[in-house]
Amino acid sequence: MSGKIVSRLSAVLDRVKAAAGSRESVPRVVAVSKLKPIEAILEAYEAGQRHFGENYVQELAEKAKDERVQLKAPDIKWHFIGHLQKNKCNLLLETANLWMIETVDSVKLANALNQTLVRKAKKSVNVFVQVNTSGEDSKNGCSPDSCVDLVEHIVKNCHLLDFRGLMTIGQWGHDYSQGSNPDFETLSQCRVSVSEKLSLPLDAIELSMGMSGDFEEAIAAGSTNVRVGTSIFGEREKKQ
Ligand SMILES: *Cc1c(COP(=O)(O)O)cnc(C)c1O
């Protein structure tokens, strides 16, 4: 391959480090590889990238079991970042090296995931709770008002789901000349509520926010996990 991915990845990592400034831990970069070929994933992996994000269960399942990935990327850590339907839980939880599900957004979905893990006698999986901070109908996620209840349900009743933090997609194209991004502020506020109501330390609750267009602003607003696709892999073809 051209080596373009390697240089783009390294530029993103530099920008992430710079945005984190003197912070103790540098935010995790999830390389969003949806609709990109295996070769692109391996190129980034060979340059040291370990966390990869995918939006579609079927596509993730196929990539994870691909022979080249199995052979050359044994330490890959997959994040599922798309909308999850209950009837896809089985397939998702069969995925090799699934590390994180970032989009748990309802009690029903949490229960379905937990019950599937119990039934399959699987070990626990990390989850983020997705919050619809912008209130747009087109976005999935629980409402900011209900996120404490959902996190509480997961912590108390879903012992095979390890709650690790909150995730938002947010409204596209915020104009930063108008001030900070309200989606990032709302997610940070949700973290404070979850921390206070459930007596969890703030720094035990991650924030997954920021994509190619705004990951530096997201980090400035406290993001610990940025999901970057285009800036690493280039523009995507539209999904068929
Ligand atoms: C596609 C996608 C991203 C990456 O978006 P880019 O703008 O390409 O960086 C991040 N998060 C989610 C949930 C996505 O679907």
Side-chain angles (χ1 to χ4, degrees):
M1 269 222 170
S2 60
K4 231 184 180 170
I5 290 173
V6 176
S7 59
R8 287 210 207 94
L9 172 64
S10 124
V12 166
L13 295 175
D14 285 347
R15 286 167 61 193
V16 165
K17 263 191 213 131
S22 59
R23 231 201 262 175
E24 243 171 66
S25 53
V26 176
R28 179 187 306 112
V29 173
V30 178
V32 177
S33 48
K34 62 180 178 222
L35 309 177
K36 293 292 175 183
I38 298 291
E39 292 77 16
I41 294 169
L42 292 179
E43 192 173 334
Y45 184 93
E46 276 151 27
Q49 179 65 27
R50 290 295 175 267
H51 292 264
F52 290 83
E54 288 283 342
N55 284 59
Y56 310 101
V57 176
Q58 190 67 43
E59 181 179 351
L60 170 56
E62 279 164 23
K63 283 174 169 172
K65 69 171 189 240
D66 185 281
E67 250 180 27
R68 291 162 292 172
V69 170
Q70 295 268 325
L71 202 67
K72 294 183 174 168
D75 192 30
I76 197 165
K77 294 173 170 64
W78 292 111
H79 292 230
F80 183 72
I81 62 171
H83 178 55
L84 181 57
Q85 286 160 323
K86 274 192 294 164
N87 61 4
K88 295 278 173 64
C89 287
N90 243 315
L91 182 57
L92 179 62
L93 293 170
E94 287 298 328
T95 301
N97 294 321
L98 176 70
W99 195 78
M100 167 79 79
I101 301 171
E102 298 208 11
T103 47
V104 178
D105 64 357
S106 70
V107 166
K108 279 185 183 164
L109 179 59
N111 288 344
L113 286 166
N114 193 62
Q115 282 156 14
T116 305
L117 289 165
V118 170
R119 185 156 37 81
K120 292 174 177 288
K122 290 243 186 205
K123 56 182 173 44
S124 58
V125 53
N126 297 319
V127 299
F128 285 158
V129 163
Q130 181 179 5
V131 185
N132 183 356
T133 52
S134 58
E136 293 165 279
D137 289 342
S138 61
K139 297 274 158 63
N140 295 110
C142 66
S143 70
D145 289 342
S146 64
C147 84
V148 172
D149 289 345
L150 176 52
V151 173
E152 182 171 33
H153 175 80
I154 291 172
V155 170
K156 295 207 168 131
N157 305 312
C158 301
H159 67 285
L160 290 180
L161 303 185
D162 286 334
F163 170 73
R164 297 280 303 265
L166 304 173
M167 178 272 207
T168 186
I169 296 177
Q171 200 153 22
W172 194 77
H174 174 69
D175 177 2
Y176 283 94
S177 71
Q178 303 299 306
S180 56
N181 188 324
D183 287 300
F184 299 162
E185 308 226 312
T186 300
L187 199 68
S188 298
Q189 204 46 56
C190 289
R191 166 158 72 170
V192 172
S193 308
V194 168
S195 164
E196 284 172 356
K197 301 235 170 78
L198 303 181
S199 303
L200 296 171
L202 255 195
D203 62 8
I205 305 169
E206 289 204 40
L207 294 177
S208 174
M209 53 193 199
M211 316 200 285
S212 288
D214 58 8
F215 65 84
E216 284 150 315
E217 287 88 355
I219 291 169
S223 177
T224 64
N225 184 92
V226 294
R227 310 177 307 267
V228 182
T230 310
S231 293
I232 296 173
F233 295 112
E235 295 292 335
R236 286 179 292 274
E237 303 282 325
K238 284 257 181 304
K239 187 171 166 69
Q240 303 296 311

